[in-house]
Amino acid sequence: MNVLGIIASGVAALFITVALAKSARRAALRPHVPDEPGGRAPRAGALRRIGGAAAVLGVGTATGGALWLGAADGSAGSVAGLLAGAGAVAALGLVHDLKPLWAALRLAGQTAAAVLVVCLAGLSPAAGVLAVLWIVLVTNAFALLDHADGLLTTIGVVTAAGLLACALIDGSAALALLPAALAAGLAGFLLHNWHPARLRLGASGAQFTGFALAASGALIQAAAPSGRAAWAALPTLATVALADTALVLISRRRAARSPLRDTDDHIAHRLRRVRVTVPGAVILLALWAAVPVVTGTLVHAELLHPAFLLLPPAGSAAAVFALLRIPAYAPPRATPSRTAARRTTAHATGPAIPPASTGPAAPGGGAAPASGTAAPAPGKTTATARTAEGHPTVPSPPAPTGRSAAQVAAERG
């Protein structure tokens, strides 16, 4: 096992990612960056959004250099296909960051990249189909975690560390190269992605991270000895990402919303609604991810019974049902009816009506005004017409007679 090559690739990925991320941060925070014409977002925001390209270049350069130096032994083809597929997905995500693409087009690109990885790895047709479906599902599940500062980066580090441990347990130095470089590169990028984030992974870095984790897990599972419970241990490492995806799909289904329209209904968003800070939510989810990662690694190393693998999914399912009770969508605004709007306008523009009298009979033997009618003032009479419901009616103004003021005065005189 070429442990020295694995360590060297991780160190190289760390330093390259930190250097590139620092340069991207300086470019994004430049004060003289002008806004784009046409009222679009400033270029500084676009630079922060595509900052994940620094992590992609750092991890890809370190892994590619290790392959060129012969650190992959006899499995260079599998690792090269894995790196090529992840790079293709990252390039497609970079295009999406600059100009949004259709979801079907991105899904087709991820499927093609997964087929490339499976073909170069030499899997059987049945295992290849399952691996392609798994890679596409987990890639999008991890990409959805890029909705809070430092969330996907932290969980990516935890998951990559688990994959690295599983590969080292099996003695596969080649398949340990990419998880080692990915864990180190994401750790370096976390310096700029922690809350408040100066750089974001964007679609490029998020899809690269998800694809690298999913494909590495599939290949490690395929290369594991037949007697080891890798088929059940490695899928457990993606528990948090799959739980977040299930939460989103269930809540949008209940609210009759489109499953493709992203909104603030993820796990971190719901934790924020119960007064958990952004760093606190990231730490909680990292601890949540560490439990299935440690459990799956210990089962993969045959230190725990495979029955323990049922605990993380069961706990995650209970957590999803508990999080569904936290409201994620604002209630719809009540629109007043036309009749109520007309009554409000009439009362606002009509004359002031004195309060009704409900007291005893009037002095002098006269009958008291009925309930809902106005009491006349002394020396004056009122003739306010009312409807059957008791609402006052506003009399229409008198029609003009066409006589002048002088004629009216002459008639009175």
Side-chain angles (χ1 to χ4, degrees):
M1 183 188 304
N2 194 351
V3 180
L4 184 60
I6 297 174
I7 297 175
S9 64
V11 173
L14 175 64
F15 281 101
I16 295 174
T17 302
V18 169
L20 293 177
K22 189 174 182 179
S23 301
R25 178 185 175 183
R26 287 179 178 176
L29 298 180
R30 229 177 252 173
H32 60 275
V33 175
D35 291 349
E36 295 184 1
R40 287 181 288 182
R43 293 175 186 171
L47 288 173
R48 295 188 186 98
R49 189 170 59 251
I50 64 176
V56 173
L57 292 175
V59 174
T61 303
T63 308
L67 287 176
W68 182 66
L69 293 175
D73 300 331
S75 303
S78 299
V79 181
L82 177 58
L83 186 60
V89 171
L92 189 65
L94 182 61
V95 175
H96 179 69
D97 284 327
L98 300 176
K99 185 177 181 180
L101 300 176
W102 291 345
L105 182 59
R106 286 179 286 153
L107 192 63
Q110 295 169 6
T111 304
V115 170
L116 174 64
V117 172
V118 168
C119 291
L120 292 179
L123 299 181
S124 62
V129 171
L130 293 177
V132 169
L133 295 176
W134 171 258
I135 291 173
V136 173
L137 172 63
V138 176
T139 297
N140 290 279
F142 272 100
L144 287 177
L145 292 176
D146 190 30
H147 58 265
D149 294 347
L151 180 58
L152 175 58
T153 312
T154 305
I155 295 182
V157 171
V158 174
T159 309
L163 291 173
L164 174 61
C166 292
L168 293 178
I169 291 171
D170 292 338
S172 178
L175 296 179
L177 283 177
L178 186 55
L182 184 63
L186 291 178
F189 189 79
L190 187 60
L191 300 175
H192 306 277
N193 188 236
W194 190 255
H195 182 75
R198 277 76 64 186
L199 293 177
R200 292 179 51 195
L201 281 173
S204 177
Q207 293 184 13
F208 176 84
T209 301
F211 189 91
L213 293 173
S216 296
L219 295 185
I220 292 173
Q221 177 179 353
S226 58
R228 189 165 285 151
W231 62 272
L234 291 175
T236 312
L237 275 63
T239 300
V240 173
L242 295 177
D244 182 75
T245 303
L247 174 67
V248 167
L249 294 178
I250 294 174
S251 59
R252 293 177 187 176
R253 174 71 176 176
R254 288 183 173 182
R257 291 173 175 258
S258 172
L260 300 179
R261 185 178 180 182
D262 198 11
T263 183
D264 298 342
D265 54 1
H266 295 268
I267 295 177
H269 296 143
R270 295 172 189 264
L271 291 178
R272 290 283 294 132
R273 288 183 173 86
V274 293
R275 300 183 181 275
V276 179
T277 62
V278 175
V282 173
I283 293 174
L284 287 177
L285 287 173
L287 294 175
W288 183 356
V291 173
V293 165
V294 173
T295 304
T297 304
L298 294 178
V299 171
H300 189 80
E302 298 181 338
L303 298 177
L304 282 181
H305 193 272
F308 283 94
L309 294 176
L310 298 176
L311 298 179
S316 299
V320 167
F321 282 107
L323 290 169
L324 284 173
R325 301 178 64 88
I326 302 176
Y329 311 109
R333 294 183 178 179
T335 55
S337 60
R338 294 183 178 180
T339 306
R342 289 176 181 174
R343 289 179 178 177
T344 304
T345 306
H347 283 296
T349 58
I353 306 298
S357 174
T358 58
S371 176
T373 59
K380 294 185 180 180
T381 59
T382 57
T384 303
R386 293 183 176 273
T387 61
E389 293 81 1
H391 297 290
T393 59
V394 180
S396 58
T401 58
R403 295 181 300 173
S404 63
Q407 295 175 348
V408 174
E411 290 177 2
R412 291 180 177 178

